[in-house]
Structures are given as C-alpha cells and as structure tokens.
Amino acid sequence: MCGIFLALAVGLTLTTLSLLREREARYAEAIQSEKNLQITSFLTEILGAAGVSKSLGRDATMMREILQEASEKIEDTEDIAPEVEWTLRNIIGETFLDVDEYSAASSQFSEAIELLRSMDEKSEEDFVKVLLNLASSEENRGNLKKAEPLVEEVLRRMQSNPDFDPNQIL
C-alpha cells in the first residue's frame, strides 16, 4: 500500500515538473518571438528612413555602405535562422530600393525568396510581399521579362487563396 502511494506521489511530482518546464519553455519562446518582432519593426523603421533622407535631397552614400556591410555580415554569419534571415534580407532589400540600388535590392529579395521557399511554415502574405518587392526591383532595373512572371505568380497566389489579405502586403 505504501509502495503504491509512493509510486503515485513520484509520478504526480514528475508529471507536474514536466508540465511546469513545458509551460516555462513556451513562455520563453513567446518572449523571444516578441523580441524578434520588436527588433524587426525597429530595423524596418530605421532603415526605412533612408528613403526619406533621399527624398529630402540628402546623400545616401553612407546608407548604401551600411546596407552593403549588413548584407556581407549576413553572408558571413552561419547560424542565422531562416525565419530571421529572410526578414533581414527583405528589410535590406527594401532599403536598397529606397536608395535606388536596384541590383543590390534584387539580390536581397532573391535570397529571401529562396529562404522562404525552403521553409515548411511561412506566411503566404510574406512570400507575396517579397515576390512583389523583387518584381519592383527588376522593373526598376529595366528587366521587364523577369518582373512579369513574378507579378503573374503573385496574382495566381492571391487568386488561389481565398483567405489572402492584400492589406498585409500593401
């Protein structure tokens, strides 16, 4: 009888500890996810200022250098999660677009698309946004033959997904 009670007590204790560890892990994951969203938002806002600076007639040479260094840093870093890397490349690409560096922007968007294609879980809106960014950079480079199929793919994806929200990409 005492052995059964002891076995039940040990089992209940181990189950409780396991549940507490799982809850703690989920909480830590949620905190990290929120941090990543804040960092991405911050970088998007800061780098987005490059386009504003250009439109105010300021020289964007330093911004181009910073973007090139950021791009090289991503290339040199081996342990960036694909979810983070595609986001960084998209932000850098958008900023390259803002400072009229269309070739560099296309390169970043192409890399982001390859990363997204390799991921099992991805947002359709995110994928379409990067496709549109690549199409825009190719159009600005004068590569309409490259831009056209990208826009067609965007339209196919939007039409085939009834839950697609165009406001997420515009």
Side-chain angles (χ1 to χ4, degrees), residues 125-139:
E125 285 85 2
D126 289 338
F127 193 78
V128 166
K129 182 176 184 175
V130 180
L131 282 172
L132 279 174
N133 283 339
L134 179 57
S136 176
S137 62
E138 291 298 338
E139 178 186 8

Side-chain angles (χ1 to χ4, degrees), residues 49-115:
V52 173
S53 294
K54 186 189 83 169
S55 68
L56 294 174
R58 295 185 183 137
D59 183 20
T61 302
M62 184 181 287
M63 180 55 72
R64 288 182 181 97
E65 291 171 4
I66 291 169
L67 292 170
Q68 188 58 42
E69 286 180 29
S71 178
E72 290 169 6
K73 179 72 174 169
I74 292 172
E75 293 294 329
D76 294 341
T77 305
E78 296 177 13
D79 59 348
I80 299 177
E83 298 84 4
V84 174
E85 185 177 346
W86 84 258
T87 304
L88 291 173
R89 289 187 179 280
N90 189 58
I91 292 168
I92 292 169
E94 287 176 341
T95 309
F96 270 132
L97 266 179
D98 287 342
V99 295
D100 302 332
E101 290 290 331
Y102 306 122
S103 179
S106 288
S107 176
Q108 293 300 314
F109 296 137
S110 294
E111 291 287 334
I113 287 170
E114 289 307 310
L115 286 162

Side-chain angles (χ1 to χ4, degrees), residues 18-31:
S18 177
L19 288 172
L20 288 173
R21 284 188 189 124
E22 183 180 327
R23 184 183 300 165
E24 186 177 297
R26 274 190 263 138
Y27 179 73
E29 186 177 310
I31 294 291

